[in-house]
Amino acid sequence: MFSILRINTATGEIRTEEFDSQEFLLGGRTLSSRLVSREVPAECDPLGRKNKLFFCTGVLAETITSSSDRLSIGGKSPLTGGIKESNAGGIVGTRMAQQGLRCIALEDAPKGDAAWKIVVIGKEKTELVDGGFLAGKGVYEKSELLSEKFGAKAGCMTIGPTAEILLHATGIACSDPHGVCSRYAGRGGLGAVMASKKIIAMVVLNDGEVKAEFKDSDGFKAGSKKIVQLLKENPVSTQFTKYGTAAMVDICQALKVLPTKNFRHGVLEGAEKINAQAMYDIIKERGGEGKTQHACMNPCAIQCSNVYPDKNGKLLCSPVEYETMALMGSNLCLKDLDAIAMLNRIANDAGVDTLDVGAAIGVAMEAGLVEFGDTEGAVKLMEEVRNLTPLGRILASGCRIAAKVLGVRHAPHVLGQAIPAYEPRGTKGMAMTYLSSPMGADHTFGFTLRDEEVPTSKEGKVALSKKFQVIGSRMDAMGMCNFVRYSVRNDMTPLLDLINSRYGVMIGAEEFDDVVKETLKIEHQFNTDAGLTAQDYRFSETFYEEAQPETGEVMDITDEESALARQW
Amino acid sequence: MVTVNFKLMDIGTIRVDIHKPETMAKVLQLCCTKPNVDFATIMAVRNSTIVKIDDLVEDGDVIDIFPAISGG
């Protein structure tokens, strides 16, 4: 049986329910999206009392299997107006599993002037305690205060000051293995949803005593070893270990899809100053607290994360990932890794998504508020976000709102969520994926880039995107890190065998993919019920009218084609 | 001569002589000490275009090889 802990944030009522269904077995996005679909009225106000937030662990949480403790958070998104699943690494999933929880649900909402609360979950009890002392503080300070009060090994989730005032591009920060809330479920504005319920933090204490049980313990150990072996043998995942996701800077530059100058271009002159090798060399040279490889959860055989140090070797930001290097770097024409790391740090402290706010700053630069390439100007804009100035509030509302307020037509988003770090006119496969994700423009979902024979052509991209939508959603469906897919490639058997060893439940590969496809179907239905139409699944018109200079390509994917890619 | 730049890999740059157009797979074999390079784990790019395993490579071409990873 699997437990869901339901917390009514208006009345304080707390109750536990138990289920034994396949969706609770798999957990992750399989569970969170089904719960949202079933329990949240699609047409509701995302920041109102009818929305709910679900925090779900995965099927292999708290085991020795590499990278299996991803936390999936679901709700209705204030950023897109549709369904949202955003997931994060860190230790919260582990702590939840140790408390015997598959899911925590935050329900209802108190009146807006109610006091801030912290949900504290331990083996003895769950309670809502005063959280007023955290209000207005940055995420780093909140994280320290939570560690002091509840211990560095507690699994904590908190929100930034931007979320406290219900801005739409805000995320939920989760504890990493060192007790710092730096692992973000960043996309879709779920930080604001948590704030709307007057929950400023949630803490899962390190006193849980529930141990994973296995139907076939020896088989499980052997199967977990096999996953590690597959990861270590795979040259792709071993490159992650050395360079992390930053290796994408060179690849995207070579393919002319590196977002540059508010997604006007696909090539940045001087991109080598912010590429993976440059970052690797800086981290190695500065030493100190810097790390070129770092695990966001334990155990992890990939360790794609990093710790970027300042000039004195002290931690400046962890992690600095490719998507941020592009959206807060190349897209703003910044060629200074220290500046990108600083922008990332301020964003983490403010509690905003680096992609959405990076894109919003790009829009602000196009509007002429700051010149492209102006490092100091970019940092000042981020400080405006952190200080909650009127301009900062606009930027923290994401690039769609920023573009409307600032009079910029070239707004890089789909469904209001900023386009990730692959310029879509140069990669029609990724463009098809952006247009067909129920979450708004999303890169982890349907990553086609490396399998596109002719990236600039839309031919065959409906089928290619759909193929990778399934592949990309498999890991989310069971609460695993997306990069574990490099171990199993297209054969899920080793992971499905682990489920069998743990629970004695055999799920076939075809059956599992049917679950994944059913999830996508449910998510799209939610969006339709919420009022999203085919016209919403489009890029801004400028992408269709103006060619990207380096490839000469415009967006040519039709509504009919993207609708096919959303059909399950 | 074909120049093959293995980016973000320890291999570095390797130049190989070919006397007629060869497939990308053959060029990789000439570059690498290991036989049977797993093409699924790399991306080959020539003039901003992806080179498939069966595509022909000609004398004078410059090919960049990247680990075929993804962003996070």
Side-chain angles (χ1 to χ4, degrees):
Chain A
M1 296 293 274
F2 302 97
S3 296
I4 175 170
L5 179 69
R6 293 186 182 272
I7 299 158
N8 186 306
T9 59
T11 65
E13 183 197 357
I14 296 164
R15 68 184 198 281
T16 303
E17 296 171 2
E18 294 199 329
F19 295 92
D20 197 15
S21 56
Q22 187 185 60
E23 65 190 31
F24 272 85
L25 172 84
L26 288 172
R29 179 169 165 179
T30 300
L31 181 58
S32 64
S33 283
R34 279 168 177 71
L35 289 170
V36 173
S37 168
R38 215 157 42 227
E39 299 189 17
V40 176
E43 73 284 2
C44 77
D45 174 1
L47 302 178
R49 56 187 296 265
K50 292 176 184 168
N51 199 3
K52 296 184 182 184
L53 264 186
F54 298 99
F55 303 77
C56 302
T57 64
V59 65
L60 300 176
E62 218 272 307
T63 69
I64 58 169
T65 306
S66 177
S67 324
S68 60
D69 281 2
R70 204 88 184 160
L71 181 70
S72 169
I73 309 178
K76 182 176 178 182
S77 164
L79 190 73
T80 69
I83 198 165
K84 174 54 63 180
E85 190 267 358
S86 186
N87 59 64
I91 62 170
V92 176
T94 313
R95 296 291 173 263
M96 280 177 62
Q98 289 165 343
Q99 297 287 352
L101 295 173
R102 175 65 90 223
C103 179
I104 301 167
L106 295 183
E107 305 179 346
D108 212 333
K111 289 182 180 167
D113 58 355
W116 289 107
K117 295 288 182 187
I118 303 171
V119 175
V120 184
I121 299 164
K123 68 175 180 182
E124 302 293 342
K125 61 182 175 182
T126 296
E127 57 184 341
L128 276 72
V129 303
D130 174 47
F133 66 100
L134 296 175
K137 295 183 166 58
V139 166
Y140 287 109
E141 189 177 356
K142 282 185 172 112
S143 182
E144 278 179 22
L145 291 167
L146 289 167
S147 275
E148 279 172 22
K149 195 170 174 67
F150 301 105
K153 291 186 176 176
C156 301
M157 291 169 275
T158 191
I159 53 175
T162 50
E164 291 175 34
I165 57 169
L166 305 182
L167 301 178
H168 287 189
T170 53
I172 296 174
C174 305
S175 298
D176 72 6
H178 312 290
V180 181
C181 292
S182 62
R183 311 307 310 193
Y184 262 89
R187 307 226 74 189
L190 297 183
V193 178
M194 188 157 143
S196 72
K197 302 184 180 310
K198 300 303 286 185
I199 301 299
I200 201 163
M202 188 147 66
V203 179
V204 187
L205 297 174
N206 184 34
D207 64 357
E209 293 175 341
V210 177
K211 301 279 183 203
E213 293 179 3
F214 302 94
K215 291 284 182 189
D216 173 9
S217 184
D218 290 341
F220 192 89
K221 281 179 193 162
S224 291
K225 277 184 188 169
K226 184 176 180 182
I227 296 294
V228 173
Q229 183 192 343
L230 289 169
L231 284 168
K232 289 193 180 297
E233 283 173 356
N234 188 310
V236 179
S237 43
T238 54
Q239 287 300 322
F240 272 123
T241 302
K242 184 168 182 184
Y243 292 110
T245 58
M248 286 307 300
V249 173
D250 284 341
I251 296 172
C252 289
Q253 173 87 341
L255 294 172
K256 299 180 179 174
V257 296
L258 182 68
T260 302
K261 209 171 183 183
N262 187 33
F263 282 85
R264 291 284 185 184
H265 293 262
V267 172
L268 175 71
E269 193 181 330
E272 68 277 3
K273 291 179 183 166
I274 58 167
N275 71 5
Q277 192 64 54
M279 187 159 77
Y280 182 88
D281 292 344
I282 285 174
I283 295 173
K284 284 288 184 191
E285 183 188 316
R286 291 181 179 172
E289 294 174 358
K291 289 179 182 167
T292 56
Q293 63 184 87
H294 176 248
C296 78
M297 66 176 83
N298 290 317
C300 176
I302 306 169
Q303 304 200 11
C304 69
S305 180
N306 56 37
V307 178
Y308 189 90
D310 65 15
K311 286 174 179 160
N312 299 315
K314 294 284 180 197
L315 185 152
L316 178 56
C317 188
S318 175
V320 178
E321 305 225 30
Y322 167 64
E323 303 295 331
T324 303
M325 293 164 80
L327 270 293
M328 293 190 146
S330 63
N331 193 46
L332 311 181
C333 302
L334 302 184
K335 301 169 193 171
D336 179 345
L337 280 170
D338 284 352
I340 294 168
M342 179 56 77
L343 291 171
N344 195 343
R345 181 182 176 84
I346 300 169
N348 287 355
D349 201 40
V352 293
D353 179 33
T354 55
L355 278 71
D356 276 294
V357 174
I361 292 176
V363 162
M365 286 181 163
E366 179 157 325
L369 273 64
V370 167
E371 292 290 315
F372 283 104
D374 179 353
T375 303
E376 275 184 32
V379 172
K380 278 182 187 164
L381 288 179
M382 254 337 287
E383 292 286 5
E384 297 232 21
V385 172
R386 174 64 186 85
N387 294 329
L388 307 178
T389 68
L391 175 59
R393 292 175 188 225
I394 292 165
L395 298 174
S397 300
C399 75
R400 175 165 61 178
I401 287 176
K404 282 188 179 177
V405 175
L406 299 173
V408 173
R409 289 184 63 226
H410 196 65
H413 72 88
V414 177
L415 293 186
Q417 182 164 284
I419 299 174
Y422 314 89
E423 203 291 319
R425 288 166 295 186
T427 162
K428 298 286 167 55
M430 293 302 291
M432 190 68 78
T433 289
Y434 297 156
L435 293 170
S436 51
S437 165
M439 306 293 162
D442 182 3
H443 60 290
T444 60
F445 168 86
F447 191 85
T448 60
L449 184 64
R450 65 188 202 136
D451 289 80
E452 291 189 64
E453 292 181 359
V454 185
T456 50
S457 168
K458 67 175 181 177
E459 293 305 314
K461 297 301 165 64
V462 169
L464 187 71
S465 176
K466 289 185 82 169
K467 174 185 168 186
F468 280 97
Q469 286 179 37
V470 173
I471 292 173
S473 300
R474 285 173 181 157
M475 298 300 122
D476 290 351
M478 57 194 295
M480 303 286 291
C481 169
N482 203 7
F483 297 150
V484 176
R485 73 178 192 268
Y486 292 114
S487 69
V488 296
R489 301 194 187 183
N490 206 22
D491 177 12
M492 286 293 288
T493 310
L495 288 169
L496 296 175
D497 284 348
L498 282 174
I499 296 174
N500 192 24
S501 298
R502 182 169 185 188
Y503 294 106
V505 176
M506 191 64 233
I507 302 174
E510 201 173 323
E511 184 188 354
F512 182 73
D513 277 357
D514 285 343
V515 173
V516 169
K517 291 172 191 171
E518 182 67 17
T519 304
L520 293 172
K521 200 171 170 180
I522 287 167
E523 291 169 345
H524 281 300
Q525 187 60 50
F526 183 94
N527 285 0
T528 301
D529 295 345
L532 297 178
T533 68
Q535 285 74 31
D536 295 301
Y537 292 90
R538 286 180 184 164
F539 296 102
S540 299
E541 211 166 279
T542 48
F543 283 87
Y544 299 84
E545 294 171 342
E546 299 172 20
Q548 193 234 61
E550 291 82 10
T551 59
E553 284 291 319
V554 294
M555 185 50 57
D556 55 357
I557 296 173
T558 65
D559 285 353
E560 290 73 22
E561 288 160 341
S562 72
L564 281 176
R566 294 193 297 274
Q567 218 170 66
W568 294 99
Chain B
M1 182 177 288
V2 176
T3 304
V4 185
N5 300 310
F6 287 87
K7 303 276 191 177
L8 302 174
M9 302 181 213
D10 295 334
I11 303 168
T13 297
I14 294 180
R15 292 179 180 80
V16 292
D17 283 319
I18 56 173
H19 304 294
K20 60 179 176 61
E22 298 281 5
T23 63
M24 188 65 232
K26 176 70 177 175
V27 170
L28 277 175
Q29 278 182 5
L30 292 170
C31 289
C32 298
T33 50
K34 276 188 195 174
N36 303 322
V37 174
D38 186 349
F39 208 76
T41 64
I42 60 166
M43 289 170 71
V45 179
R46 172 181 54 191
N47 296 330
S48 306
T49 306
I50 290 176
V51 185
K52 292 173 283 175
I53 192 162
D54 296 326
D55 285 350
L56 290 177
V57 175
E58 297 186 5
D59 190 39
D61 280 353
V62 177
I63 313 282
D64 291 336
I65 306 289
F66 298 96
I69 65 168
S70 61

